[in-house]
Amino acid sequence: MKARNSVRSLKQKPGSIVIRRRGRTFVINKRDPHWNTRQG
């Protein structure tokens, strides 16, 4: 899946956290909310 690769790259951004909730993968970045994403 293309989205998974982008989530993996977003993990490298400063301040980001990868969380799995209800079968979905989220990237939450409080320092820069522009990078918030959801997959699944």
Side-chain angles (χ1 to χ4, degrees), residues 8-37:
R8 194 169 289 153
S9 67
L10 286 172
K11 187 171 64 172
Q12 308 301 324
K13 304 280 182 198
S16 31
I17 306 166
V18 178
I19 299 177
R20 289 189 180 88
R21 293 181 189 156
R22 296 178 232 102
R24 295 189 169 107
T25 305
F26 295 87
V27 175
I28 297 173
N29 193 327
K30 291 186 176 178
R31 195 180 301 178
D32 190 356
H34 172 72
W35 301 118
N36 289 345
T37 54

